[in-house]
Amino acid sequence: MLYRYIREQSPPSFSAMAGLAAAAGVRLEWIATGEGRPEARSAESESQGELDLDLLEHVAHTTFEELDDRGLTLDPANKARLVRVLYRHFVSRKEQVDHETVSNIIDLAAFR
């Protein structure tokens, strides 16, 4: 599958990127952006982290606004994955949520 994307120079769909990340055992954010560490965190280490519900709400709100502004419709599973990727991005960088960053990550994820 990876060879096909490279050969055809067509960006993979979000679902395909998620599948590639899972198969390779790397973080989806790393597949989508090339930034950060590629190592996937274990489910156990993720569950031990504190969830910032205010940040999660802000990420979801900004993401849904950006999708609406672009006229993009995603099924609930892909929306949830996108919010998860964006939440992890903002948590790991300790940055404020902004439309430009959300928009750039959506572009990198090759949503149409």
Side-chain angles (χ1 to χ4, degrees):
M1 182 188 315
L2 184 58
Y3 177 74
R4 184 181 67 172
Y5 292 123
I6 293 169
R7 186 185 68 217
E8 295 175 6
Q9 295 183 356
S10 63
S13 68
F14 185 77
S15 298
M17 281 194 297
L20 287 171
V26 297
R27 293 174 41 237
L28 180 56
E29 298 89 341
W30 183 75
I31 292 281
T33 67
E35 295 179 8
R37 296 183 332 237
E39 301 88 21
R41 293 173 60 191
S42 70
E44 181 180 321
S45 68
E46 281 185 25
S47 67
Q48 293 174 356
E50 182 81 18
L51 186 64
D52 183 340
L53 294 177
D54 290 333
L55 177 61
L56 179 59
E57 183 178 338
H58 193 114
V59 167
H61 180 81
T62 305
T63 301
F64 298 154
E65 281 184 340
E66 191 63 35
L67 290 172
D68 286 345
D69 289 349
R70 291 169 170 237
L72 295 173
T73 304
L74 299 177
D75 62 67
N78 282 329
K79 274 187 183 179
R81 285 187 198 109
L82 178 58
V83 168
R84 183 178 182 172
V85 166
L86 287 161
Y87 174 80
R88 285 184 174 173
H89 170 84
F90 289 109
V91 164
S92 69
R93 288 169 180 74
K94 296 179 173 58
E95 296 175 354
Q96 295 292 319
V97 179
D98 64 282
H99 279 274
E100 182 178 357
T101 302
V102 170
S103 177
N104 288 339
I105 291 175
I106 290 171
D107 287 343
L108 290 170
F111 286 109
R112 296 182 205 154

